[in-house]
């Protein structure tokens, strides 16, 4: 099988690549401009949802049990687990959220993958409805399922074809919020109950919570850069 991928990005950038980069740039400016407004709150809460869902996935993959999940209106959250490999569950929140941001950005490069991403996100929200422990999370799940359904209908039945842009926006928002959240929770101020502080306690490495926050922040930023690079490769 011949690999025709343009890994070196020769003759960059074509029309689709320019549109991809410009759209990410516009979304980044809009997100930063509206960062402290109520308009972005639902999208921030989706990022918190993906953070907590990543803890849950890591727990299940390491043979643990997920007892419940919460997402709070103040952009906090919690996942109650039993069993599993604790030192893998702890970093899965921040790093998993960054990974999902990258996945959504890449999914937006093609309509078929954007449809798959929207369907998977809606399915995940539906499943979490059954373990949600507070009404903020239940409302978020129901609200975004309806939102994605409306966007899907508009995409398939009308000339308003914005599904790819919605998935890209959620991906960019998730990537930016993940990096910011790591900086705010783990680096700029030391929250002793944070995942990084707990990880530092169970990890034998000579590194405190702030140190792990810096490491996780670098990895999260690398995910964002990788999303842009791989997106350009896909569109080349």
């Amino acid at each position: 099988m011949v690999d025709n991928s343009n890994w070196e990005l020769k003759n960059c950038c074509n029309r689709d690549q320019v549109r991809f980069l410009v759209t990410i740039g516009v979304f980044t400016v809009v997100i930063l401009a509206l960062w402290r407004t109520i308009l972005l709150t639902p999208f921030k809460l989706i990022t918190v949802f993906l953070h907590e869902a990543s803890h849950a996935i890591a727990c299940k993959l390491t043979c643990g049990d997920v007892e419940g999940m919460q997402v709070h209106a103040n952009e906090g959250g919690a996942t109650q687990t039993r069993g599993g490999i604790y030192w893998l569950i702890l970093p899965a929140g921040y790093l998993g959220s960054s990974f999902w941001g990258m996945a959504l950005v890449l999914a937006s490069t093609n309509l078929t993958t954007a449809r798959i991403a929207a369907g998977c996100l809606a399915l995940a929200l539906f499943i979490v409805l059954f373990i949600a422990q507070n009404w903020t999370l239940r409302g978020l799940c129901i609200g975004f399922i309806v939102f994605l359904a409306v966007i899907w209908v508009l995409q398939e039945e009308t000339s308003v074809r914005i599904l790819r842009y919605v998935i890209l926006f959620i991906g960019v928002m998730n990537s930016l919020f993940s990096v910011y959240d790591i900086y705010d929770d783990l680096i700029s101020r030391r929250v002793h109950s944070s995942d990084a502080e707990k990880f530092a306690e169970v990890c034998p490495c000579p590194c405190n919570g702030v140190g792990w926050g810096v490491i996780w922040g670098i990895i999260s930023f690398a995910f964002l850069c990788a999303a842009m690079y791989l997106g350009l490769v896909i569109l080349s």
Side-chain angles (χ1 to χ4, degrees), residues 6 14 16 29 65 107 111 113 119 122 151 168 184 227 229:
N6 182 14
N14 61 35
D16 290 337
V29 171
D65 292 317
L111 181 56
T113 51
I151 297 299
L168 179 57
D184 187 51
Y229 166 70

Side-chain angles (χ1 to χ4, degrees), residues 71-149:
V71 170
H72 304 299
N74 65 354
E75 299 167 17
T79 300
Q80 289 74 44
T81 64
R82 185 177 71 251
I85 302 176
Y86 195 48
W87 61 271
L88 289 179
I89 296 172
L90 284 171
Y94 290 109
L95 300 184
S97 181
S98 301
F99 170 80
W100 295 124
M102 179 182 72
L104 290 170
V105 169
L106 295 179
S108 73
T109 58
N110 179 277
L111 181 56
T112 299
T113 51
R115 287 176 177 139
I116 293 172
C120 289
L121 181 56
L123 178 61
L125 290 164
F126 178 75
I127 292 172
V128 168
L129 267 176
F130 296 95
I131 60 172
Q133 293 184 318
N134 66 332
W135 279 105
T136 300
L137 179 53
R138 294 188 189 105
L140 179 71
C141 291
I142 294 170
F144 253 87
I145 288 172
V146 172
F147 172 72
L148 290 172

